[in-house]
Amino acid sequence: MILADYEIKQLANEKGLIEPFTEDNQNIPNTLGTGLSSFGYDLSLSEKDFKIFQYIPGQITDPKNFNENQLMSVNPIRDHTGCFFILPSHSYGLGVAKEKIHLPFDSIAIALGKSTYARSGIHCNVTPAEPGFEGYLTLELSNSTPQDCKVYANEGICQLIFLVGNTCSVSYRHRGGKYQNQKQEVVMSKVN
């Protein structure tokens, strides 16, 4: 089953599902909503860490042997519209969620892009957070447009949908998942 707003709120308050938890930031003028929604929770992008893939002639990206030199750290920019990063045209960036999540052993969360970003050509990869995961999610963002785009920090970037089933026999925590206990920083691709 999919968790509804009141169930997400209860798990956040009683079990620390999401920290910090924001009940209602969906209708603040000129911002991309964050916090609780009807059947999900809109995570916000942290301003603490954002990296963009850069082209290095002759380099091949290898998820089994990731070269961190292929990523360039960028600083947030502030103006009258807010705090943001520039994601260059036809590029890919990695950010980190502002909120920490702590999933129970009977739940999985799936990150989905927000329609406002999707309509602007920015896509957030669909990724799962498995039962027992704890930490800050690294977020993968793609700009499919021919223009540079703003990606706003401290505002909604993707929505987590929480699915609940039977308690699993071996959780992500129990098997020592490679991304367990991520800090609030971009974590690169790695293999156990």
Side-chain angles (χ1 to χ4, degrees):
M1 95 177 162
I2 298 174
L3 290 183
D5 51 5
Y6 67 93
E7 295 167 307
I8 295 167
K9 180 180 177 180
Q10 181 179 358
L11 282 171
N13 291 332
E14 294 175 8
K15 306 281 185 183
L17 178 68
I18 303 163
E19 299 175 67
F21 176 77
T22 301
E23 187 167 345
D24 185 19
N25 276 346
Q26 297 292 333
N27 296 312
I28 296 174
N30 297 315
T31 64
L32 298 164
T34 61
L36 192 61
S37 62
S38 302
F39 283 97
Y41 189 90
D42 288 356
L43 290 181
S44 52
L45 179 66
S46 172
E47 65 183 79
K48 290 187 176 183
D49 197 8
F50 197 80
K51 299 181 186 318
I52 298 172
F53 277 82
Q54 55 185 349
Y55 177 69
I56 301 173
Q59 288 287 312
I60 297 173
T61 301
D62 182 353
K64 288 185 175 184
N65 186 22
F66 193 80
N67 178 358
E68 292 186 26
N69 293 327
Q70 292 178 305
L71 291 170
M72 175 180 62
S73 290
V74 294
N75 293 319
I77 300 167
R78 293 182 193 333
D79 70 9
H80 68 282
T81 64
C83 178
F84 57 91
F85 300 99
I86 298 293
L87 189 56
S89 67
H90 302 295
S91 69
Y92 198 75
L94 300 175
V96 65
K98 190 173 178 180
E99 300 86 357
K100 183 177 185 179
I101 65 169
H102 179 224
L103 286 172
F105 298 132
D106 65 351
S107 302
I108 189 168
I110 299 172
L112 302 171
K114 289 177 65 80
S115 62
T116 301
Y117 273 118
R119 294 169 197 216
S120 300
I122 302 294
H123 304 282
C124 183
N125 271 2
V126 177
T127 57
E130 295 188 47
F133 173 85
E134 185 172 338
Y136 295 90
L137 292 174
T138 293
L139 305 170
E140 305 89 4
L141 304 170
S142 176
N143 179 356
S144 60
T145 74
Q147 288 84 31
D148 295 350
C149 289
K150 289 182 177 181
V151 179
Y152 287 91
N154 307 313
E155 297 186 30
I157 191 70
C158 68
Q159 184 173 95
L160 288 183
I161 305 296
F162 299 93
L163 305 171
V164 177
N166 295 324
T167 299
C168 59
S169 59
V170 180
S171 73
Y172 193 74
R173 180 184 309 155
H174 290 118
R175 73 171 182 271
K178 61 187 173 183
Y179 300 116
Q180 183 72 334
N181 297 315
Q182 292 182 158
K183 295 182 174 30
Q184 196 174 29
E185 60 190 30
V186 169
V187 175
M188 307 304 163
S189 174
K190 57 185 173 180
V191 178
N192 281 343

